[in-house]
Amino acid sequence: MARPAGRRTEILETFIRHVAEQGYERTNLGDIAKELDMSKGTIVHHFGTKAQMLRELEENYMKHELDAVRSLWEQLDKPQERIAAIVFASTLLQVVARDATVASQREVVQLSDDPAMQEVRKLRRELQRMTEDELRRGIEEGTFRPVDVEVVTLQLWGSVQWMFVWFQPGRRHTPEEIGSTFVDILLGGLLVDRFGLAPLADPNGEIATVVRETFEAHAAQ
């Protein structure tokens, strides 16, 4: 008998929500099976193990994030614009892909030594490399002050990837407003000339708009 269409996707989406809400260790395949009115064996048939589901979650999320950054790179050329776009994208993901973002960032160290997570680590390194390249380009062009690009990259990603702990969508601030604050502080410390900082950090400005429209276009595909 043919499997119900989309059943595998439904299982994975439910798993992602459980991980986002209570963490990987407390997520139980039996609970997911009960919620979806299926046997635990059906989940195992589709995915094998809970660890494999986590690997798929992480890999899909990182590919989605990299695709978005590459699309932004096609629309924005200056290093300061690209760094600002990374920040706005990271904050907007807290809303447009909330469960996957929280689940991925909450469990970033899970299975870090697992050989099967090699692809995920490769994708993360690529995202860091792209960030480092823009920082180096900005320094070479005289836009950014000389800094340790590896440390600044870790500061950038470390700060935005823990945002899920305290940022709750729908409350006082929009993701663009949160992104604006991050851009103001980060680029404020990097730019040689701060004259152009305000447009880069504007929550209603060009960079924030390009980021939002890029995510809307990806969601429509």
Side-chain angles (χ1 to χ4, degrees):
M1 184 172 66
R3 301 172 192 162
R7 201 58 166 162
R8 190 178 192 279
T9 298
E10 184 181 15
I11 294 169
L12 185 59
E13 288 178 347
T14 304
F15 169 78
I16 290 171
R17 176 167 51 79
H18 278 238
V19 175
E21 291 174 352
Q22 60 193 20
Y24 174 74
E25 294 296 340
R26 295 179 62 189
T27 294
N28 186 285
L29 296 188
D31 293 338
I32 294 173
K34 183 178 180 180
E35 179 178 329
L36 296 178
D37 193 23
M38 64 173 60
S39 70
K40 184 177 176 180
T42 300
I43 298 177
V44 173
H45 173 70
H46 280 288
F47 292 96
T49 65
K50 189 171 80 166
Q52 175 56 34
M53 297 176 78
L54 180 64
R55 288 192 289 268
E56 190 161 330
L57 180 169
E58 294 280 3
E59 189 169 327
N60 289 347
Y61 182 79
M62 290 306 305
K63 286 180 177 178
H64 173 70
E65 191 167 12
L66 267 170
D67 285 346
V69 171
R70 288 173 180 139
S71 294
L72 291 169
W73 265 215
E74 293 176 359
Q75 302 171 74
L76 303 167
D77 181 59
K78 297 177 181 178
Q80 63 270 36
E81 294 175 338
R82 291 181 170 185
I83 295 298
I86 284 177
V87 175
F88 278 116
S90 298
T91 56
L92 194 58
L93 278 169
Q94 299 287 333
V95 175
V96 300
R98 177 67 179 177
D99 286 345
T101 297
V102 173
S104 176
Q105 295 176 355
R106 183 172 187 164
E107 304 299 337
V108 67
V109 298
Q110 285 284 355
L111 306 177
S112 60
D113 297 326
D114 187 337
M117 291 288 277
Q118 181 177 354
E119 179 63 20
V120 175
R121 291 193 292 271
K122 177 183 175 182
L123 294 170
R124 288 189 180 279
R125 286 195 298 269
E126 175 63 12
L127 201 53
Q128 289 185 339
R129 183 197 63 78
M130 294 174 71
T131 307
E132 291 173 0
D133 286 349
E134 291 308 308
L135 291 172
R136 289 191 181 95
R137 185 161 72 97
I139 293 169
E140 291 169 359
E141 294 176 356
T143 302
F144 295 153
R145 297 186 302 104
V147 294
D148 186 321
V149 297
E150 294 182 5
V151 171
V152 172
T153 297
L154 291 173
Q155 288 175 327
L156 189 163
W157 287 110
S159 60
V160 298
Q161 288 181 338
W162 277 98
M163 193 183 303
F164 77 91
V165 174
W166 53 266
F167 175 57
Q168 295 296 323
R171 292 190 179 178
R172 180 180 175 188
H173 297 292
T174 67
E176 288 88 352
E177 289 170 342
I178 297 296
S180 173
T181 299
F182 273 66
V183 171
D184 183 70
I185 296 299
L186 177 68
L187 286 183
L190 286 172
L191 290 168
V192 172
D193 182 357
R194 291 168 53 94
F195 179 76
L197 178 59
L200 294 167
D202 185 351
N204 300 306
E206 178 187 2
I207 307 301
T209 300
V210 167
V211 171
R212 177 171 287 279
E213 290 177 349
T214 297
F215 278 118
E216 289 174 350
H218 279 227
Q221 293 176 355

